[in-house]
């Protein structure tokens, strides 16, 4: 019998890899209701605490009253409204680039950018730990596709020597499962030396990183010449939904003409663009959010190290705790939930086999007292699961 889906699902359950959708019955925030249970959540990417901000909600309401609730058509037909255009201009200003282009999702932004820029006869080189959307984009582009060792400029240089045609080097800015950041200065040096272009997906960097929240490029003081293609998503620190690509006028015009996920998709609701304009304003003006977030990150890392948890090299809001075994990671997540704490267990294929982890994410909406509750819960659960907690 073909399509034996039941066997595939059974195998996934047996390997402790089966996934479930938690049912959220509250707005996003530190305190949520999931599957009917009140929980203190440490698993969303609302890094600056804007997803349920009253001013952002009011901007959405006002936008819906003025512009309606649907985009109506693709941007190239009749779906490109004034709020979309104003948001693109504001995102261009945030990134210090001539133009930006809105996409409906981050996955589509990455697919659109890569497949519009390279094709048969060209080369795409990607970090081994890139997000799935970047890896899929490289595979679908038709270009020669290869991956270099994680955050290893020497490994990239060896692959650049064999590259043919137009060569696009692609990396995450902040790696979503490890929380570490790309060594952009080294990647810039190698790509520029060989006439390649560098594309950075900074989905998790916008908001937490940079003096004004403009992400990893601002963090390193780099320019458009260093990073010609810059991608960001709006569903994380911006607290809304969608994505954008920022760059030169020629880049944006090329995407408008050749990026199929842009051309053939209905635009996002104009009211959503109105809400994002407000969240962008808050991101740029309320610097205390980034400062408070950094305080929480330092508190968590200090406390986790004191109780012997194995952390990864991250100063971002993504703070993974290495566990190793998938079944153990799932059990720890369940034990935490029994204590009213929601922390997601991450397993293969999202991360390599044997590197299962608890992925803690911190936001500016959390308090120091809530982080302390998390640390106490982690200490208790690790101690109960095994005589010797996971040591660094």
């Amino acid at each position: 019998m073909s399509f034996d889906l039941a066997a595939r699902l059974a195998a996934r359950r047996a390997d402790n890899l089966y996934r479930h959708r938690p049912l959220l019955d509250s707005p996003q925030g530190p305190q949520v209701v999931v599957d009917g249970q009140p929980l203190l959540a440490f698993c969303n990417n609302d890094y600056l605490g804007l997803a349920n901000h009253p001013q952002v909600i009011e901007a959405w309401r006002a936008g819906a009253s003025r512009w309606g609730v649907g985009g109506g058509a693709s941007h190239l037909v009749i779906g490109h409204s004034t709020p979309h255009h104003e948001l693109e201009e504001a995102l261009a200003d945030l990134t210090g680039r001539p133009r930006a282009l809105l996409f409906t999702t981050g996955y589509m932004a990455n697919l659109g950018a890569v497949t519009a820029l390279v094709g048969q006869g060209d080369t795409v080189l990607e970090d081994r730990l890139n997000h799935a959307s970047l890896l899929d984009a490289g595979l679908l582009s038709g270009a020669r596709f290869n991956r270099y060792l994680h955050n290893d400029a020497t490994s990239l240089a060896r692959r650049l020597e064999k590259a043919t045609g137009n060569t696009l080097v692609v990396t995450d800015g902040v790696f979503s499962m490890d929380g570490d950041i790309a060594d952009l200065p080294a990647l810039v040096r190698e790509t520029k030396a060989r006439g390649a272009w560098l594309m950075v997906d900074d989905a998790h960097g916008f908001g937490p990183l940079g003096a004004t929240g403009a992400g990893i490029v601002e963090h390193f003081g780099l320019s458009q010449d260093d990073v010609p293609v810059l991608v960001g998503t709006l569903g994380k620190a911006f607290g809304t939904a969608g994505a954008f690509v920022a760059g030169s006028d020629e880049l944006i015009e090329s995407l408008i003409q050749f990026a199929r996920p842009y051309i053939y998709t209905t635009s996002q609701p104009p009211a959503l663009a109105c809400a994002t304009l407000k969240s962008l304003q808050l991101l740029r003006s309320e610097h205390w959010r980034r400062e408070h977030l950094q305080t929480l990150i330092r508190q968590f890392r200090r406390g986790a190290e004191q109780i012997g948890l194995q952390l990864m090299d991250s100063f971002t809001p993504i703070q993974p705790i290495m566990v190793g075994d998938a079944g153990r990671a799932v059990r720890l997540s369940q034990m935490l939930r029994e204590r009213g704490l929601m922390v997601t267990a991450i397993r293969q294929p999202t991360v390599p086999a044997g590197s299962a982890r608890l992925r803690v994410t911190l936001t500016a909406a959390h308090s120091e007292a809530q982080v302390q509750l998390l640390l106490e819960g982690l200490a208790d659960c690790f101690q109960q699961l095994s005589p010797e907690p996971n040591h660094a």
Side-chain angles (χ1 to χ4, degrees), residues 42 177 300 309-312 318-326 328-336 342-347 355-361 374 377-378 381-382 390:
F42 291 92
M177 292 300 121
F300 176 79
L309 302 183
Q310 183 179 346
L311 300 180
M312 302 187 75
I318 302 167
Q319 293 293 320
I321 302 169
M322 292 301 295
V323 176
D325 177 69
R328 190 165 186 261
V330 170
R331 179 60 184 141
L332 283 164
S333 180
Q334 292 170 340
M335 292 170 67
L336 287 165
M342 188 171 184
V343 181
T344 305
I346 304 296
R347 301 151 286 166
S355 68
R357 64 203 63 181
L358 297 177
R359 182 180 183 266
V360 172
T361 53
L374 171 64
L378 286 166
C381 291
F382 271 87
N390 206 37

Side-chain angles (χ1 to χ4, degrees), residues 15 28 39 81 95 103 233 235 284 310:
D15 292 336
Q28 289 290 352
L39 294 168
S81 66
T95 58
F103 283 79
T233 53
R284 303 192 74 174
Q310 183 179 346

Side-chain angles (χ1 to χ4, degrees), residues 274-292:
C274 295
T276 307
L277 279 164
K278 175 55 66 174
S279 69
L280 176 54
Q281 177 187 332
L282 294 169
L283 180 151
R284 303 192 74 174
S285 63
E286 296 189 349
H287 300 290
W288 66 263
R289 294 179 182 274
R290 280 186 296 282
E291 294 164 3
H292 177 59

Side-chain angles (χ1 to χ4, degrees), residues 24 30 73 100 204 244 306 387:
L24 181 68
H204 297 269
F244 66 94
Q306 287 173 353

Side-chain angles (χ1 to χ4, degrees), residues 71-387:
S74 71
H75 285 273
L76 293 177
V77 178
I78 196 174
H80 188 65
S81 66
T82 297
H84 295 134
H85 203 71
E86 291 175 348
L87 178 56
E88 288 180 343
E89 291 177 336
L91 291 167
D93 183 65
L94 173 69
T95 58
R97 292 165 184 246
R99 292 182 66 182
L101 188 68
L102 281 177
F103 283 79
T104 306
T105 69
Y107 218 109
M108 291 173 61
N110 285 331
L111 288 177
V114 173
T115 57
L117 291 173
V118 293
Q120 190 171 5
D122 298 325
T123 302
V124 178
L125 300 175
E126 300 203 19
D127 190 292
R128 291 192 65 84
L129 296 188
N130 274 356
H131 188 267
S133 61
L134 295 171
L135 299 176
D136 287 353
L139 290 168
L140 290 170
S141 69
R144 180 184 179 189
F145 176 73
N146 205 334
R147 294 188 290 174
Y148 58 90
L149 298 178
H150 176 52
N151 231 354
D152 189 330
T154 301
S155 174
L156 171 63
R158 288 196 294 267
R159 286 157 177 77
L160 281 167
E161 290 174 358
K162 302 176 182 178
T164 58
N166 292 321
T167 301
L168 185 66
V169 175
V170 184
T171 183
D172 276 317
V174 176
F175 292 90
S176 60
M177 292 300 121
D178 287 22
D180 59 336
I181 68 172
D183 184 1
L184 285 195
L187 300 182
V188 167
R189 182 176 63 250
E190 297 299 337
T191 54
K192 293 181 80 171
R194 291 164 175 79
W197 269 22
L198 179 60
M199 171 176 161
V200 175
D201 175 6
D202 203 24
H204 297 269
F206 280 104
L209 298 185
T212 69
I216 192 172
V217 172
E218 182 182 51
H219 171 78
F220 282 117
L222 301 173
S223 68
Q224 179 179 294
D225 183 58
D226 299 319
V227 182
V229 188
L230 180 59
V231 180
T233 53
L234 306 174
K236 297 178 176 65
F238 289 88
T240 57
F244 66 94
V245 179
S248 67
D249 182 73
E250 291 79 9
L251 171 66
I252 300 307
E253 281 300 316
S254 295
L255 296 182
I256 291 172
Q257 300 302 320
F258 300 110
R260 293 168 64 87
Y262 178 82
I263 296 168
Y264 299 109
T265 300
T266 298
S267 65
Q268 64 175 224
L272 178 57
C274 295
T276 307
L277 279 164
K278 175 55 66 174
S279 69
L280 176 54
Q281 177 187 332
L282 294 169
L283 180 151
R284 303 192 74 174
S285 63
E286 296 189 349
H287 300 290
W288 66 263
R289 294 179 182 274
R290 280 186 296 282
E291 294 164 3
H292 177 59
L293 183 55
Q294 285 301 317
T295 297
L296 297 182
I297 293 168
R298 289 191 294 270
Q299 176 194 358
F300 176 79
R301 291 188 65 84
R302 183 170 59 249
E305 289 166 358
Q306 287 173 353
I307 59 179
L309 302 183
Q310 183 179 346
L311 300 180
M312 302 187 75
D313 185 17
S314 168
F315 63 85
T316 72
I318 302 167
Q319 293 293 320
I321 302 169
M322 292 301 295
V323 176
D325 177 69
R328 190 165 186 261
V330 170
R331 179 60 184 141
L332 283 164
S333 180
Q334 292 170 340
M335 292 170 67
L336 287 165
R337 184 157 175 169
E338 291 166 3
R339 288 159 176 76
L341 299 165
M342 188 171 184
V343 181
T344 305
I346 304 296
R347 301 151 286 166
Q348 68 182 91
T350 306
V351 295
S355 68
R357 64 203 63 181
L358 297 177
R359 182 180 183 266
V360 172
T361 53
L362 302 168
T363 79
H366 285 112
S367 68
E368 292 183 46
Q370 289 170 333
V371 173
Q372 183 59 35
L373 285 173
L374 171 64
L375 289 167
E376 292 170 2
L378 286 166
D380 188 28
C381 291
F382 271 87
Q383 185 174 16
Q384 286 193 35
L385 190 62
S386 118

